[in-house]
């Protein structure tokens, strides 16, 4: 993409043009070196126009009702004048017509809402890669004037941590029916939560949802680091009926107001940026290990040797270091 | 150290000579390139004689009574004919006469026990470096015939994870008096536990210790991944009186027997070795970032720029990659 093309794209993007936003994201996600250079130019140029959105991470196991809740919450927010982008971090996804269609089908109202923008997960291999692209996509959405960003993840590998590192507020959705379900929570996820919402609190489930909320409250009181500023609340909501979503949004704004007042929102974002810098440098270093077929073969052979107990980890690392001239 | 010297050292080490073991550990911990080469030769050569010990990690906050408990437990084990080595992973330690003396003073009985060997934490900077040295020290202890290795950590940074990756069994010590104390547990540490022991269950504290154990049991039932093979037990012990230490050791052996029967002990160790290989390679890659003053200065400048919001993380990572030719 030539420099004038990038400038034109930037102009349309800053004017809030959705087609331009989609094209800019495609540019950022490209693996072609010339496109990546154009993407860097674009990102550098729009940087002063970024950072304005409320960035919310949402996780929950498949079946928890994430899409229904986001559809309902998002519609409530656009009705109030917000512009909302829904992004995803799913390292296992492959970009197919089907999965894009899937996301949009599951969020029927947002899919046709002019103030909502839905983009499925980038599909570039590693979690680090997917998260880095998502981070840049978030900046583009902010430059295009979206003021609420929802980043969802189904929680493959360490993706909750990555999403928590991308956002200001991390929301964990849970199912009613405590006890057994509590055990399905992945290690460390509860500790990332700025709030837990027990979803599907409707009809016969309402009482079970309240009971589950009470158990999660106990679990959080055991786990959560003490903070005078914020105790992660546990609420019940219904993505289906919309019950509790008002409360949910009020708590997001309350969290924001308290942290902004102390300068902690800016601090969290700066700390995230520094973390991202190091993560990207490490990604580049690691890429050195997979750049050529010879190095890849050496590593595979050594790993097999270590796994079989034939080579010591130290000897293997020495051999790699010597070969790569480290 | 010349080749004949290494061979002599190896002979004495394999004969169980404690002075030779101490010298071998000093060799492994050395930063001098010629000594490191000698250490590698020695480690490669004794490798077939390693792996025979029960490797136990022990953590707990300062004040939990780790040293007293290890002194008591260790004395019980040497009285039963075991040979015990006590190592430490403490990335914040500096090697001083004082700290060595401290370790030995706090374990008064083991310090004079001919079948016990106490070695303070290596002091080489990063956690990865400290843990890697400790791993090699463990191999040397096994080659010297020690059949129980206790690796303690006070839990600075991620040191519990590192110790858990070095051992077969991870023991978390807790204080009686639940509730508030529960909140002092660092993120994720409970999830690493193969067993929790509430220490200081003596005299007036006994009832409080039992109450705490009951709370930790609940917390574990919420957190612990379900396994048909092992549910981490929560017991009460007294390092001071020795109460419960019989039970503690029986549970360590039970855990071992169950995992060995399914081949899972060997599997855990192989997986740890592969993880170590990658950790050591990454350590080498990262070392590339700090090798010369120019690179260090560049990184410091870029990090400051990102922290101040003047440079984007992406641009910073690009500049590093370009400068290092990645």
């Amino acid at each position: 993409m030539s420099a004038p093309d990038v400038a034109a794209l930037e102009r349309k993007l800053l004017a809030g043009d959705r087609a331009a936003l989609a094209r800019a994201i495609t540019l950022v996600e490209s693996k072609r070196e010339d496109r990546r250079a154009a993407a860097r130019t674009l990102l550098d140029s729009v940087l002063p126009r970024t950072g304005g959105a409320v960035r919310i991470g949402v996780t929950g196991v498949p079946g928890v009702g994430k899409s229904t809740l986001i559809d309902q919450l998002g519609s409530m927010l656009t009705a109030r004048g917000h512009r909302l982008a829904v992004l995803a971090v799913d390292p296992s996804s492959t970009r197919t017509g089907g999965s894009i269609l899937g996301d949009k089908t599951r969020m029927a109202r947002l899919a046709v809402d002019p103030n909502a923008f839905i983009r499925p997960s980038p599909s570039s291999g590693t979690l680090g890669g997917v998260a880095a692209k998502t981070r840049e996509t978030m900046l583009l959405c902010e430059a295009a004037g979206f003021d609420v960003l929802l980043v969802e993840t189904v929680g493959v590998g360490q993706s909750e941590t990555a999403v928590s590192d991308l956002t200001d507020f991390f929301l964990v959705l849970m199912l009613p029916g405590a006890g057994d379900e509590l055990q399905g929570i992945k290690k460390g996820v509860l500790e990332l939560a700025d709030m837990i919402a027990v979803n599907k609190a409707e009809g016969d489930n309402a009482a079970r949802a309240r009971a589950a909320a009470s158990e999660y409250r106990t679990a959080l009181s055991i786990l959560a680091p003490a903070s005078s500023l914020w105790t992660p609340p546990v609420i019940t909501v219904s993505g289906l009926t919309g019950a509790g979503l008002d409360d949910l949004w009020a708590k997001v704004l309350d969290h924001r107001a308290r942290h902004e007042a102390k300068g902690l929102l800016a601090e969290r974002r700066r700390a995230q940026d520094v973390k991202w810098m190091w993560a990207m440098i490490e990604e580049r270093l690691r890429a050195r290990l997979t750049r050529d077929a010879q190095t890849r073969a050496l590593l595979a052979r050594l790993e097999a040797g270590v796994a079989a107990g034939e080579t010591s980890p130290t000897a293997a690392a020495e051999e790699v270091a010597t070969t790569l001239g480290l």
Side-chain angles (χ1 to χ4, degrees), chain A:
Chain A
M1 187 177 268
S2 70
D5 290 346
V6 173
L9 183 60
E10 181 188 346
R11 219 167 27 247
K12 287 184 192 159
L13 178 74
L14 293 178
D17 181 315
R18 295 158 51 104
L21 174 58
R23 280 216 313 286
I25 295 172
T26 303
L27 193 64
V28 155
E29 291 178 353
S30 173
K31 290 190 206 308
R32 271 179 48 185
E33 191 43 52
D34 59 330
R35 299 211 175 164
R36 285 186 40 175
R40 281 196 296 273
T41 306
L42 177 64
L43 283 165
D44 278 348
S45 167
V46 302
L47 200 62
R49 302 284 290 271
T50 64
V54 180
R55 302 169 175 174
I56 304 168
V58 186
T59 193
V61 294
V64 78
K66 252 191 329 288
S67 301
T68 306
L69 183 134
I70 290 173
D71 198 37
Q72 188 80 249
L73 175 67
S75 303
M76 181 186 99
L77 294 175
T78 58
R80 293 183 187 179
H82 291 289
R83 294 185 70 211
L84 173 90
V86 181
L87 311 174
V89 169
D90 177 6
S92 69
S93 80
T94 46
R95 176 79 54 84
T96 63
S99 85
I100 295 179
L101 193 64
D103 277 346
K104 301 224 172 183
T105 315
R106 286 183 289 110
M107 301 179 202
R109 293 163 67 188
L110 289 184
V112 296
D113 187 329
N115 289 310
F117 180 85
I118 302 175
R119 181 86 181 189
S121 179
S123 60
S124 63
T126 67
L127 172 59
V130 170
K133 298 295 182 203
T134 302
R135 187 184 151 274
E136 294 177 346
T137 294
M138 292 170 69
L139 298 175
L140 294 173
C141 290
E142 290 177 335
F146 287 86
D147 65 339
V148 179
L149 306 183
L150 290 179
V151 186
E152 61 159 316
T153 180
V154 290
V156 174
Q158 297 293 304
S159 64
E160 294 98 341
T161 308
V163 169
S164 153
D165 281 341
L166 287 169
T167 52
D168 306 325
F169 188 94
F170 193 64
L171 171 65
V172 177
L173 296 181
M174 292 286 188
L175 285 167
D180 284 349
E181 280 78 4
L182 270 169
Q183 306 215 13
I185 301 168
K186 252 173 40 186
K187 292 185 183 186
V189 171
L190 277 191
E191 288 141 339
L192 296 174
D194 291 304
M195 174 157 70
I196 291 179
V198 181
N199 194 21
K200 306 200 179 177
E202 64 239 352
D204 292 351
N205 268 331
R208 290 175 65 221
R210 280 194 302 273
S214 163
E215 274 218 28
Y216 293 126
R217 221 167 271 131
T218 306
L220 273 191
S221 75
I222 290 172
L223 284 171
S227 151
S228 57
L229 207 61
W230 188 253
T231 303
V234 181
I235 64 173
T236 60
V237 297
S238 168
L240 196 65
T241 69
L245 294 185
D246 242 336
D247 184 32
L248 186 157
W249 183 245
K251 288 201 159 51
V252 169
L253 294 183
D254 180 34
H255 176 273
R256 187 171 198 79
R258 286 172 192 236
H259 286 76
E260 264 184 338
K262 299 267 182 188
L264 293 175
L265 179 65
E267 197 179 287
R268 176 169 175 159
R269 287 187 172 184
R270 293 288 185 246
Q272 286 174 341
D273 278 352
V274 169
K275 211 166 159 182
W276 274 108
M277 178 189 102
W278 287 107
M280 283 190 263
I281 292 171
E282 295 214 349
E283 187 87 3
R284 290 299 197 99
L285 285 170
R286 260 192 298 271
R288 176 71 187 83
L289 296 177
T290 52
R291 201 165 54 189
D292 58 279
Q294 211 176 334
T295 309
R296 286 197 300 272
L298 171 70
L299 283 162
R301 181 171 62 71
L302 289 171
E303 181 170 8
V306 171
E310 290 155 8
T311 311
S312 82
T314 313
E318 287 293 334
E319 189 167 341
V320 174
T322 308
T323 307
L324 296 186
L326 294 174

PDB file of all heavy atoms in Angstrom, chain A residues 19 66 81 300 305:
ATOM      1  N   ALA A  19     -16.015   0.738   6.881  1.00  0.00           N
ATOM      2  CA  ALA A  19     -15.317  -0.024   5.847  1.00  0.00           C
ATOM      3  C   ALA A  19     -13.811   0.245   5.936  1.00  0.00           C
ATOM      4  O   ALA A  19     -12.985  -0.662   5.780  1.00  0.00           O
ATOM      5  CB  ALA A  19     -15.852   0.347   4.459  1.00  0.00           C
ATOM      6  N   LYS A  66     -22.004 -16.003  26.520  1.00  0.00           N
ATOM      7  CA  LYS A  66     -21.243 -14.774  26.250  1.00  0.00           C
ATOM      8  C   LYS A  66     -21.870 -13.950  25.135  1.00  0.00           C
ATOM      9  O   LYS A  66     -22.083 -12.749  25.284  1.00  0.00           O
ATOM     10  CB  LYS A  66     -19.805 -15.132  25.854  1.00  0.00           C
ATOM     11  CG  LYS A  66     -18.801 -14.808  26.900  1.00  0.00           C
ATOM     12  CD  LYS A  66     -17.354 -14.904  26.468  1.00  0.00           C
ATOM     13  CE  LYS A  66     -16.998 -15.897  25.432  1.00  0.00           C
ATOM     14  NZ  LYS A  66     -17.032 -17.295  25.908  1.00  0.00           N
ATOM     15  N   GLY A  81     -26.192   5.812  23.079  1.00  0.00           N
ATOM     16  CA  GLY A  81     -25.319   6.720  22.341  1.00  0.00           C
ATOM     17  C   GLY A  81     -23.860   6.285  22.249  1.00  0.00           C
ATOM     18  O   GLY A  81     -23.031   6.981  21.671  1.00  0.00           O
ATOM     19  N   ALA A 300      14.005 -29.713  17.380  1.00  0.00           N
ATOM     20  CA  ALA A 300      13.123 -30.876  17.462  1.00  0.00           C
ATOM     21  C   ALA A 300      13.913 -32.103  17.919  1.00  0.00           C
ATOM     22  O   ALA A 300      13.463 -32.871  18.779  1.00  0.00           O
ATOM     23  CB  ALA A 300      12.463 -31.131  16.108  1.00  0.00           C
ATOM     24  N   GLY A 305      15.391 -35.749  22.400  1.00  0.00           N
ATOM     25  CA  GLY A 305      16.448 -36.358  23.204  1.00  0.00           C
ATOM     26  C   GLY A 305      16.232 -36.116  24.691  1.00  0.00           C
ATOM     27  O   GLY A 305      16.397 -37.017  25.513  1.00  0.00           O
TER      28      GLY A 305
END
